[in-house]
């Protein structure tokens, strides 16, 4: 456990000292959402109708883009190879890195989301469910994205390739995330959607680190 | 049994013998299937002649799923037993599967025009098919993304297994999404009582597509094996082992 | 029987036979020097020994037991220095070293003294981005001194080092061997070690032998 947290602490420290990297994901998130009123026009009704979808899609893209570098710097400077030789399972290394990644990019997205919901004129009933759905959904995105980030290591293709690989896999999270918010706004129960998002997370928690570790071992061969 | 086919030279000989059979069967099945489907089978009382698109659309959709399943099985065999032909089979199946998926999408759109008056409808089946098409594209992009072909094959084998686990989840999600936003679609064929005059051409076309798949797969596998051989010869020259 | 040994090893990289039928054996307190031309497989052999690569054939054994049987134990008894220096530019020298020490031992103790051994103690508070290539190498090598390990695997450890640092490395290797540790290192430059065995990988290249790959061509 000591080893696990030391990787989390290191990655947090790296993110904080490099500053801009994690901020950039949030800034991308904000600007991507702001483009929509400019694109579709500022009519409050239209914005309110598409608010949940736009915020979720932007969150999807933001976390996908920030995942590109999840393993890459460690791969390039030999750290990943050495991490593989440390006396802890590679799955734990992946889990630690995903945890740090979520804390530095997923969490800020969740904090920024209500603000964007205001800009998008979202109905007040949706706010709490939006945050709740993001809390359940964004860790799944980080976990699934970690698999993609491990698979593209060494290809030199980066973000474009990663988006092609992981965006289709993000679709279920998107559908239920948006559906939960829409249901809350129209006054329907949201329990089912949130439970399904939770189930995705529970399934991704063991499966994704395991798959990522397998992909990393191949990348390092 | 499996080890027998692992030897590339033996596979080349075996495929040489099989190729004309596959080609002949494909042509025969397709000829009879198309005749039954386009001439013999009755037009639908609601959909008219456009129902005949079904004889291409439905088998293509089946093959799209079949090819993805075949890729997942081949990838698993390649990863677990390190079987070189299985790796190549997964890689060679991808473009064929993507082509079938595209055919299903294309004929679906053609069907949509007379039925709904629009080329594209966000119907649950068509949407799932579209996502499947993206999964194929991701696989093809990844398998070709590396300088070292072996690394590309291994990485994309993992990807296809991840995708395979996700296909039912995506299907379930898209169906949920679809019921929220739209009533049930018109694109429901078959049902419990499909008439034999429609069933036969459907099955024959499915057989034709299957043999076509095997035919092209054998051709592509031979190409891959020969390309491998060239690569090994080049490497030997570089490292002075000619 | 030697404590750490490899038997009939075959290494294939990118469809090419790098070396075949390779044997090696190191005993407690022993040192093995890997030499050979570029591409002869020195790094590959070290990666096989570390468990980063699996041999296409043959086995690597520790005390008679296959190292692949219990990789966690093999990792715990080994220090590996690859040809890259895993140093983060925004972490200080001390932080970089401490991170790897904690991961290796499970606690942060025993990091002191390691920097002195390689003459970079005065750089402890300097962020990694300001280090020269040679200083990065020294910091990477300083990991060896943070915790005891029975086996050191060093890939071109002298690359980029000046004479003083090479002397420091030589001392460190001597100390390691005096307490019964083993060292395997690859080198281009002449790096004589007392009583070290030399393994020339050129002797095992596919060009000098009949290779399995050659048999399969029809």
């Amino acid at each position: 456990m000591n080893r696990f947290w030391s990787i989390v602490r290191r990655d947090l420290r790296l993110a904080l000292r490099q500053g801009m990297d994690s901020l950039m994901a949030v800034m991308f998130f904000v600007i991507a959402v702001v483009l929509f009123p400019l694109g579709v026009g500022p009519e409050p009704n239209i914005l309110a109708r598409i608010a949940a979808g736009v915020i979720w899609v932007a969150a999807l893209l933001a976390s996908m883009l920030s995942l590109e570098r999840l393993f890459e710097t460690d791969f390039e400077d030999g750290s990943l190879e050495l991490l593989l030789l440390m006396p802890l399972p590679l799955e734990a290394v992946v889990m630690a890195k995903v945890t740090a990644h979520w804390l530095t990019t997923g969490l800020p997205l969740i904090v920024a989301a209500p603000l964007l919901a205001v800009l998008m004129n979202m109905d007040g009933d949706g706010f709490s469910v939006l945050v709740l759905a993001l809390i359940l959904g964004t860790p799944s995105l980080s976990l699934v994205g970690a698999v993609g980030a491990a698979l593209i290591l060494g290809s030199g293709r980066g973000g474009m390739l990663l988006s092609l690989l992981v965006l289709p896999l993000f679709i279920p999270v998107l559908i239920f995330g948006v559906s939960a918010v829409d249901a809350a706004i129209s006054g329907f129960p949201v329990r089912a959607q949130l439970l399904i998002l939770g189930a995705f997370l529970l399934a991704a928690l063991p499966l994704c680190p395991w798959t990522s570790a397998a992909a990393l071992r191949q990348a390092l061969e | 049994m499996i080890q027998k086919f692992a030897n590339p030279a033996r596979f080349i000989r075996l495929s040489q013998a099989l190729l004309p059979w596959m080609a002949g069967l494909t042509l025969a099945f397709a000829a009879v299937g198309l005749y039954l489907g386009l001439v013999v089978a009755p037009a639908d009382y609601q959909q008219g002649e456009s129902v005949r698109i079904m004889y291409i659309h439905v088998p293509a959709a089946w093959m799209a799923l079949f090819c993805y399943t075949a890729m997942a099985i081949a990838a698993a065999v390649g990863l677990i037993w390190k079987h070189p032909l299985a790796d190549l089979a997964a890689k060679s199946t991808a473009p064929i599967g993507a082509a079938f998926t595209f055919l299903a999408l294309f004929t679906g759109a053609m069907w949509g025009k007379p039925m709904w008056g629009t080329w594209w409808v966000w119907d649950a089946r068509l949407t799932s098919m579209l996502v499947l098409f993206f999964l194929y594209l991701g696989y093809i992009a990844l398998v070709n993304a590396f300088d070292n072909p072996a690394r590309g094959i291994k990485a994309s084998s993992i990807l296809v297994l991840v995708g395979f686990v996700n296909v039912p989840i995506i299907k379930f999600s898209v169906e949920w999404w679809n019921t929220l936003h739209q009533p049930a679609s018109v694109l429901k064929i078959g049902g419990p009582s499909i008439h034999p005059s429609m069933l036969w051409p459907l099955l024959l076309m499915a057989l034709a597509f299957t043999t076509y798949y095997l035919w092209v797969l054998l051709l592509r596998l031979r190409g891959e094996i020969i390309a491998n051989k060239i690569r090994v010869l080049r490497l030997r020259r570089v490292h002075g082992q000619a | 029987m030697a404590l750490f040994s490899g038997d009939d090893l075959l290494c294939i990289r990118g469809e090419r036979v790098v070396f075949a039928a390779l044997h090696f054996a190191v005993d407690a307190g022993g040192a093995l020097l890997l030499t050979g031309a570029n591409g002869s497989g020195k790094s590959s052999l070290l990666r096989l020994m570390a468990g980063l690569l699996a041999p296409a054939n043959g086995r690597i054994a520790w005390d008679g037991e296959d190292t692949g049987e219990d990789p966690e134990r093999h990792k715990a008894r080994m220090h590996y220095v690859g040809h890259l220096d895993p140093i983060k530019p925004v972490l200080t020298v001390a932080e970089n070293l401490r991170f790897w020490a904690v991961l290796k031992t499970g606690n942060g103790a025993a990091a002191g003294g390691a920097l002195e051994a390689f003459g970079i103690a005065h750089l402890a508070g300097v962020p990694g981005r300001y280090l020269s290539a040679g200083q990065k190498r020294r910091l990477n090598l300083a990991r060896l001194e943070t915790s005891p390990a029975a086996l050191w695997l060093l890939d071109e450890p002298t690359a980029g080092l000046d004479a003083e640092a090479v002397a420091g490395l030589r001392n460190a290797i001597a100390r390691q061997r005096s307490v019964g540790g083993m060292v395997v290192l690859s080198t281009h430059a002449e790096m004589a070690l007392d009583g070290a065995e030399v393994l020339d990988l050129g002797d095992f290249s596919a060009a000098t032998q009949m290779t399995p790959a050659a048999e399969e061509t029809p």
Side-chain angles (χ1 to χ4, degrees):
Chain A
M1 244 12 221
N2 214 337
R3 295 188 171 99
F4 178 86
W5 289 114
S6 90
I7 297 178
V8 175
R9 269 199 305 275
R10 177 190 80 142
D11 275 20
L12 288 179
R13 193 176 283 167
L14 287 176
L16 290 180
R17 291 205 189 153
Q18 271 153 355
M20 291 310 286
D21 279 17
S22 52
L23 268 184
M24 246 159 18
V26 185
M27 288 180 337
F28 173 87
F29 179 49
V30 172
I31 199 157
V33 171
V34 166
L35 286 179
F36 278 85
L38 298 174
V40 300
E43 289 88 350
N45 290 336
I46 297 180
L47 290 184
R49 173 71 197 80
I50 62 172
V54 167
I55 290 173
W56 262 100
V57 169
L60 233 62
L61 294 175
S63 62
M64 196 271 304
L65 286 175
S66 63
L67 276 160
E68 184 193 335
R69 305 281 293 166
L70 182 62
F71 299 114
E72 198 158 84
T73 46
D74 279 341
F75 178 72
E76 282 164 357
D77 71 6
S79 297
L80 200 58
E81 176 176 280
L82 207 53
L83 282 170
L84 178 58
L85 292 177
M86 290 295 140
L88 83 161
L90 194 55
E91 287 78 4
V93 175
V94 172
M95 202 55 226
K97 289 192 74 70
V98 170
T99 307
H101 176 268
W102 184 79
L103 288 174
T104 51
T105 58
L107 209 53
L109 293 188
I110 296 171
V111 174
L115 191 78
L116 293 172
V118 172
L119 288 183
M120 292 295 289
N121 198 35
M122 188 197 267
D123 193 288
D125 296 336
F127 278 47
S128 56
V129 176
L130 174 68
V131 171
L132 210 57
L134 281 170
I135 289 175
L136 287 171
T138 48
S140 304
L141 301 183
S142 294
L143 285 162
V144 172
V147 178
L151 286 173
I152 62 163
L153 274 185
S155 71
R157 300 296 200 284
M160 285 300 198
L161 181 57
L162 182 63
S163 57
L164 207 50
L165 303 191
V166 301
L167 285 181
L169 304 179
F170 282 178
I171 289 173
V173 174
L174 172 70
I175 287 176
F176 288 99
V178 175
S179 155
V181 180
D182 281 347
I185 291 171
S186 351
F188 290 113
V190 296
R191 209 175 115 84
Q193 286 91 330
L194 292 181
L195 281 178
I196 289 170
L197 282 176
F200 286 159
L201 180 55
L202 284 181
L205 266 177
L207 288 177
C208 291
W210 181 66
T211 319
S212 307
L216 288 179
R217 283 196 192 95
Q218 284 186 351
L220 289 167
E221 247 185 24
Chain B
M1 172 72 176
I2 291 177
Q3 286 309 319
K4 237 178 166 175
F5 298 108
N7 184 326
R10 190 171 292 147
F11 173 80
I12 293 275
R13 279 198 302 276
L14 183 72
S15 61
Q16 191 71 58
L18 280 175
L19 273 175
W21 283 98
M22 288 303 152
L25 282 174
T26 303
L27 291 177
F29 283 138
V32 181
L34 283 176
Y35 174 74
L36 289 181
L38 298 185
V39 181
V40 177
D44 190 83
Y45 75 98
Q46 259 184 335
Q47 305 182 28
E49 296 294 337
S50 60
V51 75
R52 300 188 193 280
I53 297 173
M54 174 181 84
Y55 300 116
I56 302 291
H57 174 80
V58 173
W62 285 345
M63 287 309 290
L65 285 171
F66 173 82
C67 285
Y68 206 76
T69 313
M71 275 164 70
I73 293 169
V77 171
L79 283 176
I80 297 167
W81 288 289
K82 314 233 174 293
H83 195 290
L85 262 184
D87 281 341
L88 290 180
K91 185 184 177 186
S92 308
T93 299
I96 313 173
F100 277 126
T101 317
F102 182 76
L103 187 63
L105 284 172
F106 187 76
T107 50
M110 276 172 59
W111 201 345
K113 188 62 182 167
M115 283 299 102
W116 302 302
T118 167
W119 291 110
W120 183 263
V121 171
W122 288 96
D123 161 83
R125 286 186 198 210
L126 278 180
T127 311
S128 302
M129 218 23 104
L130 186 63
V131 178
L132 184 64
F133 188 56
F134 291 145
L135 290 178
Y136 272 117
L137 291 187
Y139 177 94
I140 294 171
L142 187 66
V143 84
N144 293 311
F146 295 91
D147 295 333
N148 174 1
R151 161 95 176 102
I153 284 182
K154 279 186 184 168
S156 44
S157 291
I158 294 183
L159 178 73
V160 75
L161 290 175
V162 172
F164 190 66
V165 172
N166 270 283
V167 164
I169 302 176
I170 293 171
K171 183 106 178 79
F172 161 72
S173 309
V174 168
E175 263 161 23
W176 166 293
W177 163 82
N178 195 246
T179 50
L180 285 183
H181 293 279
Q182 253 187 301
S185 75
V186 195
L187 199 71
K188 274 219 176 81
I189 54 105
S193 60
I194 184 166
H195 195 266
S197 68
M198 297 170 92
L199 188 63
W200 272 110
L202 210 54
L203 287 179
L204 279 171
M205 285 312 289
L207 274 175
F209 279 13
T210 312
T211 50
Y212 172 80
Y213 160 67
L214 291 173
W215 177 21
V216 180
L217 177 69
L218 287 176
L219 277 176
R220 294 188 68 90
L221 273 174
R222 288 163 62 89
E224 289 283 344
I225 287 170
I226 291 164
N228 260 348
K229 215 170 264 177
I230 292 172
R231 217 164 28 234
V232 170
L233 287 176
R234 286 224 173 103
L235 275 167
R236 290 229 181 110
R237 184 172 297 171
V238 169
H239 295 281
Q241 299 170 7
Chain C
M1 178 167 190
L3 188 49
F4 184 49
S5 62
D7 236 2
D8 195 23
L9 294 173
L10 170 66
C11 176
I12 299 175
R13 302 293 288 149
E15 299 162 344
R16 178 175 79 90
V17 176
V18 182
F19 53 73
L22 185 145
H23 298 260
F24 73 86
V26 198
D27 246 319
L32 184 64
L33 206 59
L34 308 179
T35 62
N38 288 337
S40 61
K42 300 188 292 293
S43 295
S44 296
L45 179 56
L46 281 164
R47 292 170 69 82
L48 280 179
M49 290 175 175
L52 282 168
L53 271 181
N57 186 36
R59 72 193 278 261
I60 296 177
W62 184 273
D63 207 5
E65 189 195 331
D66 204 318
T67 53
E69 301 254 312
D70 191 353
E72 299 299 317
R73 239 174 64 208
H74 189 57
K75 288 183 198 173
R77 64 177 160 238
M78 157 191 75
H79 273 307
Y80 171 83
V81 177
H83 58 102
L84 292 168
D85 299 315
I87 290 159
K88 291 294 165 191
V90 294
L91 298 184
T92 67
V93 166
E95 283 169 338
N96 269 304
L97 188 64
R98 210 182 108 80
F99 170 67
W100 293 113
V102 171
L103 278 191
K104 193 82 204 177
T105 60
N107 59 59
L115 292 172
E116 280 89 1
F118 289 92
I120 44 172
H122 61 290
L123 298 174
V126 175
R129 75 162 72 92
Y130 299 111
L131 299 185
S132 72
Q135 286 166 333
K136 281 186 182 167
R137 197 70 195 165
R138 290 180 188 213
L139 173 52
N140 193 0
L141 289 168
R143 288 194 294 111
L144 298 170
E145 297 280 331
T146 54
S147 62
L151 176 64
W152 288 5
L153 301 172
L154 314 178
D155 195 356
E156 302 275 357
T158 54
L161 291 186
D162 57 16
E164 181 209 352
V166 172
L169 175 63
R170 204 185 298 266
N171 288 336
I173 291 175
R175 276 197 304 279
Q176 157 84 347
R177 292 176 64 192
S178 69
V179 296
M182 292 175 240
V183 179
V184 180
L185 77 158
S186 68
T187 180
H188 272 309
E190 292 304 308
M191 169 130 185
L193 290 173
D194 295 335
E197 273 186 71
V198 176
L199 188 70
D200 185 351
L201 275 95
D203 298 343
F204 302 94
S205 77
T208 56
Q209 312 185 6
M210 188 57 197
T211 68
E215 286 162 17
E216 95 188 13
T217 24

